[in-house]
Every structure is written in C-alpha cells, then in structure tokens.
Amino acid sequence: MDAATSAANRDFPKLYRRAGSLSRERAWALRAAYASLGFAAVIFLAPPVYMLITSLKTNAEMADQSLSPWFVREPTLEHYAAILGNPLFLGFFRNSIIVTLIVVAITMAVSVPAAFALSRMRFWGSTTLATGVFLTYLVPDTLLFIPLYQIVGSLGLLNSIWGLVLVYPTLTVPFCTWIMIGYFASIPKELDEAALIDGASWLQMLLRIFVPVALPGIIAATIFAFTVSWAAFVYPTAFITKPEAMPLTIGVVSQLVRGDTFAWGQIMAGALLAALPPVVVYVFLLDYYIAGLTAGATKG
Amino acid sequence: MAQVSLRRLTKTYDGGVAAVKAIDLEIADREFVVLVGPSGCGKTTTLRMIAGLEEVTAGEIRIGGEVVNDIPPRDRDIAMVFQNYALYPHMTVFENMAFGLKLRGFPREEIARRVDRAARILGLGELLDRKPKALSGGQRQRVAMGRAIVRDPKVFLFDEPLSNLDAQLRVQMRTEIKAVHQTVKTTTVYVTHDQVEAMTLADRVVVMNQGRIEQAGPPGELYANPATRFVAGFIGSPAMNMIPARLVPTAAALAVALEGGPTLPVPAERTARYAAHVGRDLLFGIRPEHVTEATRTDKPNLAPIDVTLDVVEPMGMETLVHFRLGRTSVCARVDPQAAGAPGEAMRLAVQMDRMHLIDPATDRVL
C-alpha cells in the first residue's frame, strides 16, 4: 500500500473501537442464558409443583382461604390412597397404557419403513408424498374429529379404546415419518451404496444399517408418539363417553367430579400420577439417546 | 479376477446433461487402471456405472465377459472403496469387514479366516474390536480397503479414496494401496483428480475430460508423448509451458520462432513430422524440467535462451524460476546453485528433443 494515498485502519476509530473484553462478554452471555432458563423453568414447573402441593393437603386445608396455597401444613397421602383404591381410576390407567403401547408400535411399524422409502428410494411422486405426509400433520385434530366421528361411529368403535387405537396414528404417523425422513437424510448416501455393494437387500439395509444408525431419531420419534397418545384429549373427549373405556386424560377430569363438587385432592393426585409415565419413559429412553452415534461413519 | 470392458458407454442425466459420452475402454485382468481428470470430467460417473450405482444410458459394461448393465451391484462381484470411507458406524472393524460375507452366508470360520488375512495385509490386527469413531482417518481408510479385500471380488473400485487424508498420510496410503494390489492382484479401477496419484499407482492412466477419454496409456507414455493439449497440460507438475510459436524453415531443417523470444532449432529427426505445419501458428510445449540451467551439458539438443527472472521459488531439491516470453509466463526447473535472484538475467537451455508442438485449432499434439 502506498502510504501517501491510503490510511491505516487505526485512522477510523469508529470502525476500530477500543478492544472489548472476551471474558466479560462471555460472563454476560452466561448470565443472560441462566436468567432466561430460570424464567422458563418457573413458568413450566409452577403448575406441577402446585399440583403436588395441593394433592398433599387435606380437604379442610385446601378450603381454608386464610392459608397460603403454596405451603402444606399437615401433609397427607389420603388422596393418593383414595384414587389408587378406585377401580375406575385403575381402569383409566390400564386403558391409557394399552392404547399408548399399541399406538407407539403401529406408529413405528408404519413410519420407519415409510420414512426409509421416502428418503432413499426415489420413485415417482416420492417428494410430493413426503410433503403431503407433513401437510396432513398440519390439520388440527380439533377439526379432524368431526369427520373422524363419522368414521369411528360407522365402524362401531365409539366408546371403545380400539377407536382411539385406530385414530391416534393419524396424529403420530405423519410427524414421526417426518422426523425419521430428516434422520435418514442425515445418513450419508455412501452407507447405503456400501451396503448395496456388500450385498444387502433394501430390507436388510433398513434393519441392519438404518435402524441402528438412526436409533437416536427412532427414540425421539417413539417419545413423541408416546407423548401424543398418552396426552391426547380431543379425540377421547369426542369418541368416549362410557367411563370404563376412558383413558386417564379425560377420566380424571370427568369422573372425579361429583355433581358440582370437585374432588380437588384426587384430581391433583390423579393428574400427577398420570403425568408420571411420560417422565419415566423420557428418563429411561434418554439414557439411550446418545447423540453423535453416526460419528466415524465418514469423514467430517 | 476379471477383465472389464466398456463399449460406447454413455450416461446422460435427467435434464440432458451428458456426463459420459460413448467411451470405450478395455481393462485387462489384474490391471490397475486409474481414471483421472478435473471435476466433472465423468470419471466418477464411469466408476459408479461399473459399480452399478448409476444406470447406464447407452452402451455396454462387461465384467469377466458378462454384460452387467442390468445386474444389481450385489451380484456384480465388485467391491468399492469410497472417498469418505462409508464405514458402518455401529459395527466394529471386524463386523464392518465381515458384513458383506455374512449377508452372503459364508460360514463363520471362512469369514474369520478372510478378515484375519485382510487385517494382516493392512496391519489392522489390533483394531478389530474398535468402532470406526475410535479410528484415525488412515485407519478408517484401511478398514474400507479391508472390507473390499475380504470379499475377494472380481474388481476393486476406488472412488478418490485418499482425498480426505492429509498430505503426508496420502503419500503413505498411496504406497500401501500399491503394495496391496501387488499382493492380491485384483483388477482395479481407481478414480482420482490427482495426477500424481494417477502416475504413481497406475499400470495405465486414462485421462478423461468433458465426458470423453483424452488418452489412455502407461504413465511414462502419457508424460513423454501426450496426445492432446489437455493431457499435455494436465499430466506433470508444474504444468507444461505452452508458448505461442511459429514453425519456420532454416537452411538445414526447421526452427520454432517463439513469440517474444528466440528462434530455437528443431531436432533434425522431427523435420519430416512437422514439415506440413511450416508457417502456421502453433503452441510450443515444453515441460519446466526440460528448461534447465545452460551449464548442464549432459543432454543432447540443448538450445540456449537468455531470460530475465521474475519469480524464484526454491523447492529444496530444485528451484523453479519464472520468466516471461512475450505475453507468456514460463517456468523452468533449475539447480538451486544455478538459480539467480528476481530481476537478474539468466541463461537457460531448452532440451529440444523433449519439445511438443500443439495445433491450437485441433488441440492435438503434432
């Protein structure tokens, strides 16, 4: 550069300010991160904590307006004892477990091969189909339950858990297929080509290469399917009116109300127990949810 | 073991992009053939068609005499090594190598015997229980080769297997690949864009450009007698100098008048070969290693030229000097002791019996 015609960077103090501090910037970033995480944690944890506290109170303590709702003075397990001794509640639990396990099995059996086909076998209309699968997920169940009521009714499955088993996969399959398409797409194409040359059929490739390699994705999809069918509310509300066919979600809120008396203690205890299985499933499966399982397949 | 033959092999992608244009190639049993060329020249597509990973648009592929156009990859009895290794991440080294044999239903003892042999050839014995992620790049590439070796296929296919390795490891693995081929002697088709790899590994180098074969031959032949301007420029590093020139008659024979430079005498034995091109605009091709310091006297047909050095690049064993002739920048390889400094004058000698004349109209070497 010619010194006479060009200026040095330091001649532009507005562009080259005094140097900042890397450690100070990092400290502020951490503080901001903890503040927002803390805020989110309070918002999300407040309802379950309130449920827990309420479920441990006696009816008298609950009704006493002069006490703080956030403290328990005389903890009791009477509501838990009552609800666990209630055959109706145990029936809700059994219904939820049966429906959820079958729905998860159906979802995986359909969406894993579907995602494999859509992501790897290029056939006429495969991309349109893949988009279509996702679009069906965008139609809310609050709209779908009206036509589905006709279908479930005409099959004679109203007031039966088998109606739910039939209907829930319409929520879970599209989304799980979509998740799995994304996971399979991240598996390098050379892996299938290597398997093809090694002599694998499409089915062997799916079962021996794709399923083990995409296990984190399959677990994520399983968790999703489990949560959706465990927590489904709109469909059982619409299709189930008989208490013995109800799953937990609607059973707890509809059957533990006697006339206009809310058994708050039992409702809270029941809701808390109902929320437990997804937590257990998360904790159990997250142990297997090891990210970076594909590390080492290919370079970079 | 098998020969591979390509006849009028053509690949046109959807949308009309012609990747490979009716190439013919005969690969002998046990031969190591390297397809080399710039990216997009069709070399990888050709390899993938041989593997069965790309459909053939037209033409014919035979492996061991059998037409395989419509045979799926698994039944072609080929093995392929990929650029990014493509190891199965959830399997150990042993399982990676055994996978193909297991799928084919080989007995357990035979699988163990073959994996053991491959591991010995490649020095992988200690690593058989490891997962790919616990291996270095070179080790992964060796496992990928092991997976090919255990299959004992008719043909090995290599798709730029060394491109992901660092420079030092690449040279080491290159030697290993050559050693492996000398041990197992399987017919090999190897694709690379690196002409040094091509020269060092190949029994025969096939230079491809724009979907066609420019020239095929032993490495020394391609280096000494390139058939086209592309091959002349592609093989050899630094690349061949190409200086605009005109062929002029002299009393005794012919001479080339370099644009912006001296007129150099053409060796007498080439007079007949070049006679028809007198007076035409041509390109004078000369490799940097054939332009040396004038004090060197052990070569015949040296023609001296006086130049002013622009840039001097010491390489250790030799020094590259750059200078200008007219509009063309020319590179020469000289002894480090003989090289001057930039701006200095230097007398160089051109080895005229290593010269090439290229017709710019046809891009053929005359």
Side-chain angles (χ1 to χ4, degrees):
Chain A
M1 278 277 180
D2 188 343
T5 56
S6 81
N9 285 343
R10 64 173 176 277
D11 294 336
F12 298 93
K14 278 195 178 151
L15 302 181
Y16 282 82
R17 272 184 300 249
R18 190 177 57 82
S21 158
L22 206 55
S23 54
R24 203 161 47 229
E25 280 174 23
R26 222 184 126 63
W28 274 111
L30 270 179
R31 268 173 232 163
Y34 278 119
S36 16
L37 281 175
F39 182 66
V42 167
I43 291 199
F44 281 105
L45 285 179
V49 168
Y50 192 73
M51 280 158 67
L52 178 68
I53 291 167
T54 311
S55 70
L56 295 174
K57 289 181 181 176
T58 60
N59 285 330
E61 192 180 341
M62 248 182 268
D64 191 340
Q65 299 275 325
S66 64
L67 299 170
S68 161
W70 291 97
F71 293 100
V72 189
R73 286 201 307 177
E74 295 159 29
T76 170
L77 291 174
E78 60 173 303
H79 301 303
Y80 289 92
I83 202 153
L84 289 173
N86 184 343
L88 208 52
F89 179 78
L90 297 178
F92 301 156
F93 225 112
R94 197 189 56 238
N95 290 338
S96 275
I97 289 173
I98 293 173
V99 169
T100 300
L101 289 184
I102 297 177
V103 167
V104 167
I106 292 176
T107 305
M108 289 299 119
V110 174
S111 65
V112 170
F116 178 68
L118 288 174
S119 66
R120 279 312 206 259
M121 301 166 151
R122 287 159 134 248
F123 51 89
W124 187 85
S126 57
T127 41
T128 318
L129 205 57
T131 318
V133 163
F134 187 62
L135 287 179
T136 57
Y137 175 69
L138 296 180
V139 183
D141 47 3
T142 37
L143 283 180
L144 274 180
F145 83 90
I146 300 166
L148 279 176
Y149 189 90
Q150 295 278 334
I151 295 171
V152 173
S154 68
L155 291 171
L157 293 174
L158 289 174
N159 276 320
S160 155
I161 59 170
W162 302 109
L164 303 182
V165 167
L166 182 74
V167 163
Y168 287 179
T170 62
L171 295 173
T172 54
V173 167
F175 192 74
C176 289
T177 306
W178 192 254
I179 293 181
M180 291 315 301
I181 288 176
Y183 255 85
F184 287 161
S186 72
I187 296 177
K189 195 100 182 71
E190 285 84 356
L191 271 195
D192 354 349
E193 293 179 342
L196 272 184
I197 288 176
D198 264 344
S201 64
W202 287 104
L203 188 65
Q204 284 170 321
M205 199 194 296
L206 171 63
L207 296 180
R208 303 185 68 160
I209 308 289
F210 274 69
V211 168
V213 172
L215 203 58
I218 291 177
I219 288 173
T222 307
I223 290 176
F224 175 83
F226 185 94
T227 313
V228 164
S229 42
W230 188 266
F233 192 80
V234 172
Y235 287 159
T237 309
F239 303 151
I240 309 279
T241 47
K242 281 205 306 213
E244 52 272 29
M246 283 183 176
L248 274 169
T249 40
I250 58 164
V252 169
V253 295
S254 65
Q255 298 306 307
L256 298 177
V257 182
R258 289 275 164 267
D260 51 4
T261 314
F262 286 75
W264 281 119
Q266 286 192 33
I267 291 176
M268 289 301 146
L272 215 55
L273 288 176
L276 217 53
V279 173
V280 172
V281 167
Y282 273 50
V283 170
F284 176 73
L285 285 184
L286 281 175
D287 272 353
Y288 294 85
Y289 188 101
I290 310 149
L293 210 64
T294 54
T298 58
K299 167 128 179 168
Chain B
M1 304 282 165
Q3 69 278 15
V4 176
S5 85
L6 314 179
R7 299 209 181 124
R8 313 294 300 157
L9 186 64
T10 302
K11 175 72 190 184
T12 310
Y13 284 106
D14 304 340
V17 180
V20 177
K21 300 167 186 166
I23 62 170
D24 290 295
L25 184 64
E26 294 292 329
I27 298 165
D29 187 19
R30 304 183 165 207
E31 194 178 15
F32 197 120
V33 163
V34 175
L35 306 181
V36 67
S39 18
C41 72
K43 56 190 190 301
T44 295
T45 308
T46 304
L47 189 81
R48 291 172 59 82
M49 281 195 282
I50 298 173
L53 298 172
E54 276 317 326
E55 276 176 39
V56 174
T57 309
E60 193 179 274
I61 301 173
R62 286 169 187 266
I63 297 175
E66 186 192 5
V67 178
V68 296
N69 285 31
D70 201 32
I71 293 179
R74 65 169 178 274
D75 299 327
R76 292 190 184 195
D77 199 8
I78 44 133
M80 186 156 169
V81 177
F82 293 86
Q83 177 176 354
N84 59 10
Y85 327 133
L87 300 181
Y88 310 123
H90 56 297
M91 297 184 192
T92 64
V93 168
F94 181 93
E95 289 164 340
N96 260 285
M97 293 206 264
F99 186 64
L101 299 175
K102 255 188 216 160
L103 288 178
R104 276 158 220 270
F106 274 81
R108 192 180 294 261
E109 315 80 67
E110 175 66 9
I111 294 177
R113 206 179 58 75
R114 287 196 184 191
V115 172
D116 194 53
R117 172 172 171 266
R120 230 172 323 110
I121 293 175
L122 296 163
L124 288 171
E126 309 287 303
L127 307 173
L128 287 176
D129 296 328
R130 295 226 196 137
K131 293 268 178 74
K133 68 175 166 222
L135 302 178
S136 70
Q139 289 168 335
R140 286 180 202 172
Q141 192 53 269
R142 257 183 241 142
V143 176
M145 272 163 64
R147 196 164 61 179
I149 291 172
V150 295
R151 294 263 318 282
D152 194 15
K154 286 182 187 160
V155 185
F156 280 155
L157 304 173
F158 287 87
D159 186 10
E160 309 219 10
L162 305 183
S163 307
N164 279 351
L165 302 176
D166 61 51
Q168 204 179 351
L169 201 52
R170 198 179 307 160
V171 174
Q172 188 191 330
M173 288 301 295
R174 198 171 73 196
T175 316
E176 280 190 32
I177 290 177
K178 194 154 190 174
V180 166
H181 181 253
Q182 282 164 4
T183 312
V184 301
K185 293 198 170 59
T186 305
T187 312
T188 301
V189 185
Y190 185 109
V191 160
T192 179
H193 62 264
D194 179 349
Q195 53 98 13
V196 178
E197 244 170 66
M199 298 285 283
T200 50
L201 284 169
D203 294 326
R204 200 149 55 100
V205 178
V206 176
V207 181
M208 293 187 68
N209 186 30
Q210 297 183 345
R212 294 182 209 284
I213 293 178
E214 289 272 337
Q215 189 176 1
E221 171 70 16
L222 257 64
Y223 175 81
N225 300 310
T228 65
R229 179 179 180 172
F230 179 81
V231 176
F234 191 77
I235 300 287
S237 173
M240 186 187 285
N241 297 300
M242 295 192 194
I243 308 156
R246 186 178 283 263
L247 203 54
V248 294
T250 60
L254 295 172
V256 273
L258 302 183
E259 185 192 87
T263 299
L264 306 175
V266 173
E269 65 270 21
R270 298 213 194 180
T271 308
R273 180 166 148 197
Y274 293 150
H277 304 284
V278 171
R280 292 180 53 200
D281 285 326
L282 300 170
L283 286 171
F284 173 76
I286 189 81
R287 295 192 184 280
E289 49 271 42
H290 301 138
V291 183
T292 54
E293 65 276 12
T295 47
R296 192 180 280 191
T297 53
D298 57 339
K299 296 281 194 301
N301 282 321
L302 292 179
I305 52 171
D306 290 300
V307 300
T308 306
L309 303 182
D310 286 334
V311 177
V312 176
E313 299 175 311
M315 311 276 286
M317 199 173 85
E318 69 217 356
T319 294
L320 301 179
V321 297
H322 299 262
F323 56 90
R324 297 193 80 79
L325 283 181
R327 291 168 295 155
T328 318
S329 178
V330 181
C331 176
R333 255 176 154 146
V334 301
D335 188 89
Q337 305 297 323
E344 285 182 9
M346 186 173 179
R347 168 159 282 209
L348 295 168
V350 182
Q351 293 175 34
M352 293 305 286
D353 49 2
R354 310 303 293 266
M355 65 169 274
H356 304 277
L357 280 180
I358 298 157
D359 183 348
T362 61
D363 281 342
R364 310 274 328 159
V365 176
L366 302 174

